[in-house]
Amino acid sequence: MTSADKSGTNGQTAMQTPPVVSAQDWEAARQQLLVKEKAHTRARDALAAERRRMPWMEVGKTYAFEGPGGKVSLADLFQGRRQLIVYRAFFEPGVFGWPDHACRGCSMVADQVAHVSHLNARDTTLVFASRAPQADIARLKKRMGWTMPWVTITDSFDADFGVDEWHGTNVFYRDGDRIFRTYFIKSRGDEQMGGTWNYLDITPLGRQEVWEDSPKGYPQTPTYKWWNWHDSYEEGAAPDKKWVEISDAGEKAFRKEAAEGRD
């Protein structure tokens, strides 16, 4: 019995911790679990590929929001990009925490959001939307250190897209003047959101890398090559030659280990 198995104070039930083993047995257990973890990763990739083939629903209604600079449309939220992710955050009168804070759960989601420049580099814009006035949103963002775009809902957008009573993430695609709803995730599904990869995996174009199983004609670039420091992206810039060399070497080593079953 380890120290962690001993009964705690205040009548707490003793923790039934796993056995303590040798380094060799620990590695064997890790390798056994790794088989299932790899299968999980491949299943997740396959699910994302299926998601990219979901039918689209055209948005025929016009929606209006308030942004820091005034009134904006749904099309404006794309900021010139093809893909738009809108997270409905609850920050408004009647929500627990108002006016000092947004919903605790929505705030945890906001705390997870990676630097949006990485999404922008993949032709994708992330926007948060609430019913609080812009002055309150600006105050909250400053207090919490959040920098993502955040607009005020002024019409039936939340009710029309299933987020009037609970948080959720909607994904849209813009083709010229036409806008399509392509995906929706809510409840525990939102728990995985925040990271660049997970956001891209729910978009119709995906990560846009050559290894992905995407429909014919979808944009795809060499794996890893578009990665950059968040303050160094330049639209239309070719991948840095040194980074190409480094990422190629890393990918080669990774593929070799995978082929030998050592990863």
Side-chain angles (χ1 to χ4, degrees):
M1 178 179 291
T2 67
S3 59
D5 293 315
K6 297 178 180 178
S7 298
T9 58
N10 301 323
Q12 293 180 345
T13 302
M15 289 178 59
Q16 298 299 310
T17 59
V20 176
V21 299
S22 67
Q24 292 80 7
D25 287 344
W26 184 90
E27 181 60 27
R30 189 188 79 88
Q31 290 296 330
Q32 185 177 10
L33 186 59
L34 188 59
V35 173
K36 295 181 179 179
E37 290 177 334
K38 288 181 180 180
H40 176 75
T41 298
R42 296 188 185 101
R44 185 182 63 200
D45 291 340
L47 183 61
E50 186 175 349
R51 197 179 287 129
R52 289 190 288 277
R53 291 167 170 82
M54 269 192 60
W56 297 357
M57 181 193 80
E58 186 162 8
V59 179
K61 190 173 180 179
T62 300
Y63 294 96
F65 305 84
E66 286 291 333
K71 185 176 180 179
V72 291
S73 66
L74 180 60
D76 292 330
L77 298 188
F78 284 81
Q79 298 178 12
R81 302 182 182 96
R82 281 190 288 183
Q83 301 191 129
L84 171 67
I85 301 170
V86 180
Y87 174 72
R88 195 329 187 176
F90 278 83
F91 177 51
E92 56 214 54
V95 173
F96 176 62
W98 175 266
D100 296 326
H101 280 294
C103 156
R104 290 187 177 184
C106 295
S107 297
M108 285 193 69
V109 171
D111 279 338
Q112 312 308 311
V113 174
H115 203 286
V116 297
S117 64
H118 303 297
L119 289 174
N120 297 164
R122 294 279 89 177
D123 211 6
T124 305
T125 300
L126 173 68
V127 175
F128 274 43
S130 299
R131 285 196 169 271
Q134 277 297 297
D136 293 298
I137 290 175
R139 171 177 51 80
L140 177 68
K141 289 176 63 177
K142 182 178 180 181
R143 171 175 179 167
M144 302 300 288
W146 297 327
T147 59
M148 73 286 286
W150 199 318
V151 297
T152 302
I153 301 169
T154 65
D155 50 30
S156 62
F157 174 86
D158 48 2
D160 292 349
F161 292 100
V163 288
D164 54 328
E165 296 181 352
W166 195 245
H167 63 88
T169 302
N170 277 282
V171 184
F172 301 92
Y173 183 87
R174 181 180 61 84
D175 183 7
D177 294 330
R178 302 176 71 188
I179 296 175
F180 304 89
R181 187 191 195 193
T182 65
Y183 193 66
F184 175 57
I185 194 168
K186 65 175 184 177
S187 301
R188 286 202 65 195
D190 267 331
E191 292 178 2
Q192 65 175 310
M193 294 298 101
T196 301
W197 309 125
N198 285 337
Y199 275 131
L200 290 176
D201 282 347
I202 66 171
T203 64
L205 299 182
R207 304 184 188 191
Q208 302 162 54
E209 296 185 337
V210 294
W211 64 270
E212 285 183 303
D213 175 11
S214 292
K216 184 178 180 179
Y218 274 42
Q220 290 185 314
T221 60
T223 306
Y224 309 143
K225 304 305 180 290
W226 63 274
W227 295 6
N228 209 338
W229 298 291
H230 75 247
D231 64 349
S232 299
Y233 283 109
E234 294 182 15
E235 187 174 357
D240 182 89
K241 292 183 179 180
K242 184 62 177 178
W243 172 240
V244 171
E245 294 175 3
I246 293 172
S247 59
D248 278 348
E251 185 176 4
K252 183 178 180 180
F254 167 78
R255 300 300 178 192
K256 180 180 179 182
E257 287 189 357
E260 296 173 352
R262 296 188 294 109
D263 69 330

